[in-house]
Amino acid sequence: MKKPFFKTAAELAALGKENIPAEFRLDTHLIYNSPAALDFNSPGAQGYGVKRAGLAVPGSVMLLIAPRSCGRNTSGLAAGDTERFGWLLMDETDIVTGRHLKKIPEAVSAFVDARRERPSVVMLCITCVDALLGTDMERVCRKAEEAVGLPVRPCYMYALTRDSRKPPMAAVRETVYSLLEPRRKNPRAVNLMGYFAPLADDSDLYEVLRSFGLQKIRELGRCRTMEEYEELSEANFNLLLSADARDAAAMLEKKLSIPSVEITRLYEIDKIESQYKSLAQALGAEYREPAAKKEAEEAVSALLTLEPEPVFAIGSRLNANAFELSLTLVRYGLKVAEIYGDPQPQDIAYIRRLSELSPDTRIFSNLSPTMAVYDETQSSVTVAVGRDAEYYHENAAHVPWSDEIQPFGFSAVRDFCRAVISACEGKEQEKQPQKAVSGEEIISNHEIRGLRLALAPFAPDTSGAAAVLFPLDALTVIIDAGGCAGNICGFDEPRWDVKSYAKRSTVFSAGLRDMDAIMGRDDRLMEKLALAAEDMDASFAALIGTPVPAVIGTDYRALVRLIEKKLDMPAVAVDTDGTKLYDDGASKTWEALVKTFASEGEPCDAVGVIGVTPLDFSEKEAENIRASLGEKAILYGWDGSIENIKRAGLVKKNYAVAASGIRAAKYIEKKFGVPYEIMCPLSEEEKNNVHEAAAQGGRVLVVHEPVRADAFRKALAEAGTADVTVGTWFTPVRELSKEGDVHFKEETQFARFLEQGNFSCVIADNALRKAAPDYRGAWLDAPHFAVSGGK
């Protein structure tokens, strides 16, 4: 495998903004999924992506209209926000025909009616599917407004358009300010625009603005009521703190006649003061130096006396421009060895000046496939700033500098220097308080197919496929625009937080853009695959489908043939589309792997286990399975070797411990004559649940993955409980089904079944309890990651 790609500051400066290398351009290569890149690949999951940002208006709610793969990570957002979400899940027919659009006004009505308090506005969040279908969302919103008598606004979560003139995060800023109506202007009022969270309470920017005579300093992130939100219309001008808000500011200038002035977050003290003075001049005011300037100067001086002298790696997942912060640190007299970021033309000015002072500073791209082989031991870094830099430098002092509450001005410099000093001295860093969002109980009572108002979507088929492939030595490509891959790896793959796994796994996003999808540019995908194959030594290539290739009708068989011919390596493709559940995707993947790799040979004395992934089993539960079957048990996939899957036809017996493994087990029996058994040993915690349920007496309902649920049923029967009903949200297993078993498809169906079933006890994941608030019997938690995401 090659070394990680980088350019020094001197090399990039010499190339200029017109010649930024293709390796830094996101349309030229596969996008490497790692914890260092998840903010890019999952804008809906980390920080303020479109989903959270769309709820910035007080009292607003959001209906996410999408395949389940796009809504799955919603339960991972900030505490409280999930109570303001609803989900209208799309199926295969919807993503091809747009049939779901007719249901939206009715779904919005049901969502509003389900709330105890009437919302202020309903945000409709739509995804790449509707981008490709050409949905006129403005028209849909008008129809919904007529149905509920409330404002309804669109939020476009179109990862395909990330590089367009108006990317999703710029568009959503317009949406959240679009409800403002003209008001009489207050000459002493100003709005701060740019961030969704407010500035730190002690930011000197407040002091500076007050010294200019501005008495009303308002921010969207501090609005708690609609009255406070509506007061934003009184501003005499908007002060832009981030370029991302330019489109929103232009919209407000046109609609409300509020002009805007822009300043930038900087970390060089002289530049901050120059900016404040320029603002004072523009406003015809007198600049008075705030107390925080001296505190910033003192903090910089203290940082410069640190022993030993710190050597920095500056990431891009932080509250700063990585290149401006790096240049500032070097100008202060400190060393910056590495920067992680994809330089844009506007960054070259910083890089040119940096090259004069620190020409050997290396600039890496988090998203380059070559970062899979980054080696910390080859670096002199002692302080890692930003979540991405922390990932690459496990042994350095860590300064996340990524709190949602935003730093700005001299106080940002002061607090940053203090954070670095504390990290180097090994002190616990104080965290800024996060904005709390109060939730509201939802009573779900509707008959609309696919509408979820209480339960966030369960793990989709894309996640099931990725879970099987994750630990294998594969060049795995999720054919998406970036969001699906980030949702999968950032939310549905707990091993991503285990560095030994994450470093070993090479999972990429195809990084599709709108024209790639519209034109069906499979040749571009092949070019990217070929480049990635040159950079690493993978045993095979694997393609995972998403809603985008489903809409455009991607020919997976043709892609597999092209890969095998052009790249001279085996390949498998899983035609997932994000509308089905995880067990379907995992089942297809297990079957594809054994069909491709299982081979004949000398029989061995081992037994095989099919179906173990983190979506069904914790690491402890997986090891319990291994222990129960003996030391010669092979957990296919979990053991991280394709060689074990090649032996699947040579073992003396296979065990399918989850429904997702049954199809593969049947194929092996038919092809190689290896018998299989469907079974799943219970863990000690699960056995305790069985004993407690048996002690309760009466009727027991078990809701879980089908094989696990059947194991509970058998154990309960042995404990003397005869009246046991098994339910599942996933594909039932015919061999295990009994009369009275139920397959849940809608949350209202589940709620009614529980309330009418006279059950004394339920064994199920606690997350399901939200759908049946009126159930009053005992509830024993049986965690299922595919349901709750571990929450």
Side-chain angles (χ1 to χ4, degrees), residues 722-733:
D723 196 349
V724 179
T725 300
V726 162
T728 189
W729 290 86
F730 310 103
T731 306
V733 176

Side-chain angles (χ1 to χ4, degrees), residues 248-504:
M251 180 269 294
L252 290 177
E253 183 165 11
K254 182 177 180 181
K255 180 180 180 182
L256 306 181
S257 300
I258 304 177
S260 62
V261 179
E262 185 172 343
I263 61 176
T264 305
R265 177 162 50 199
L266 301 169
Y267 284 84
E268 192 167 355
I269 291 175
D270 291 347
K271 300 292 185 186
I272 296 170
E273 185 163 59
S274 295
Q275 193 166 235
Y276 281 161
K277 288 179 177 178
S278 296
L279 181 61
Q281 186 176 11
L283 298 178
E286 180 183 351
Y287 169 70
R288 293 199 294 268
E289 183 180 291
K293 180 187 174 185
K294 184 177 180 181
E295 295 172 351
E297 291 171 336
E298 291 172 349
V300 171
S301 297
L303 180 59
L304 292 173
T305 63
L306 267 181
E307 293 290 345
E309 181 183 11
V311 179
F312 288 90
I314 305 297
S316 57
R317 291 178 63 195
L318 75 169
N319 294 324
N321 177 303
F323 302 102
E324 189 275 333
L325 178 59
S326 298
L327 173 61
T328 296
L329 292 173
V330 171
R331 279 184 167 168
Y332 286 155
L334 296 160
K335 294 181 180 178
V336 176
E338 298 173 354
I339 302 172
Y340 301 98
D342 295 290
Q344 302 301 306
Q346 62 268 26
D347 296 318
I348 296 299
Y350 293 129
I351 294 170
R352 282 201 182 106
R353 295 194 287 272
L354 180 63
S355 71
E356 297 168 1
L357 302 172
S358 182
D360 295 328
T361 295
R362 297 181 173 188
I363 300 170
F364 298 86
S365 170
N366 283 324
L367 308 179
S368 169
T370 63
M371 291 306 290
V373 294
Y374 180 89
D375 184 0
E376 179 184 9
T377 64
Q378 304 301 308
S379 170
S380 60
V381 168
T382 61
V383 179
V385 182
R387 295 293 184 186
D388 43 357
E390 288 181 2
Y391 171 70
Y392 292 114
H393 294 282
E394 187 176 4
N395 298 311
H398 289 175
V399 183
W401 202 240
S402 58
D403 285 337
E404 288 184 357
I405 304 299
Q406 296 294 308
F408 199 90
F410 297 122
S411 57
V413 178
R414 175 199 67 202
D415 294 343
F416 173 78
C417 293
R418 290 175 179 175
V420 173
I421 293 168
S422 294
C424 290
E425 293 177 348
K427 296 178 181 177
E428 189 75 21
Q429 297 180 47
E430 292 185 12
K431 290 189 175 182
Q432 289 274 11
Q434 303 297 301
K435 176 186 175 185
V437 182
S438 58
E440 179 195 341
E441 186 178 353
I442 292 176
I443 306 300
S444 181
N445 184 19
H446 60 85
E447 300 297 331
I448 302 172
R449 185 171 179 268
L451 180 60
R452 297 278 189 89
L453 300 180
L455 300 178
F458 305 148
D461 52 358
T462 49
S463 294
V468 175
L469 292 165
F470 181 87
L472 301 177
D473 182 22
L475 195 168
T476 302
V477 182
I478 300 168
I479 307 177
D480 76 323
C484 293
N487 291 349
I488 291 166
C489 298
F491 188 78
D492 267 339
E493 184 43 80
R495 291 168 292 188
W496 213 253
D497 293 331
V498 182
K499 202 153 191 179
S500 59
Y501 280 115
K503 282 290 188 182
R504 184 168 76 212

Side-chain angles (χ1 to χ4, degrees), residues 26 29-31 477-481 508-512 516 525 528:
L26 307 182
H29 57 75
L30 298 177
I31 297 173
V477 182
I478 300 168
I479 307 177
D480 76 323
F508 301 95
S509 164
L512 299 176
D516 295 329
L525 177 59
K528 294 178 180 181

Side-chain angles (χ1 to χ4, degrees), residues 87 452-458 729 747 750 767-771:
W87 302 266
R452 297 278 189 89
L453 300 180
L455 300 178
F458 305 148
W729 290 86
E747 63 184 18
F750 175 74
L768 295 175
R769 197 163 193 169
K770 288 179 66 176

Side-chain angles (χ1 to χ4, degrees), residues 26-27 29-31 128 132 158-163 477-483 509-518 520-522 524-525 528 546-549 552 554:
L26 307 182
D27 61 340
H29 57 75
L30 298 177
I31 297 173
C128 297
L132 292 173
Y158 291 172
L160 285 167
T161 61
R162 198 194 303 260
D163 298 330
V477 182
I478 300 168
I479 307 177
D480 76 323
S509 164
L512 299 176
R513 292 299 173 259
D514 50 0
M515 292 309 296
D516 295 329
I518 293 168
R521 293 171 173 169
D522 289 343
R524 296 285 297 277
L525 177 59
K528 294 178 180 181
T546 69
V548 170
I552 64 177
T554 296

Side-chain angles (χ1 to χ4, degrees), residues 119-142:
S120 60
V121 57
V122 180
M123 300 292 185
L124 298 185
C125 184
I126 54 177
T127 65
C128 297
V129 172
D130 279 294
L132 292 173
L133 291 174
T135 299
D136 182 352
M137 208 59 202
E138 300 288 343
R139 180 174 177 272
V140 173
C141 286
R142 288 194 296 271

Side-chain angles (χ1 to χ4, degrees), residues 33-35 38-39 41-42 44-46 51 68-78 82 87 456-460 463-464 466-467 470 478 482-497 614-615 767 784-791:
N33 271 281
S34 76
L38 286 182
D39 275 356
N41 277 356
S42 190
Q46 305 290 324
K51 295 174 187 173
R68 66 182 71 247
S69 59
C70 303
R72 163 64 171 166
N73 68 352
T74 318
S75 58
L77 300 181
T82 53
W87 302 266
F458 305 148
S463 294
F470 181 87
I478 300 168
C484 293
N487 291 349
I488 291 166
C489 298
F491 188 78
D492 267 339
E493 184 43 80
R495 291 168 292 188
W496 213 253
D497 293 331
L615 294 171
H784 189 185
F785 193 95
V787 170
S788 59
K791 302 300 179 186

Side-chain angles (χ1 to χ4, degrees), residues 668-680:
I668 296 168
E669 182 180 55
K670 183 177 180 180
K671 176 77 173 179
F672 302 103
V674 178
Y676 73 91
E677 180 181 344
I678 303 171
M679 58 81 70
C680 180

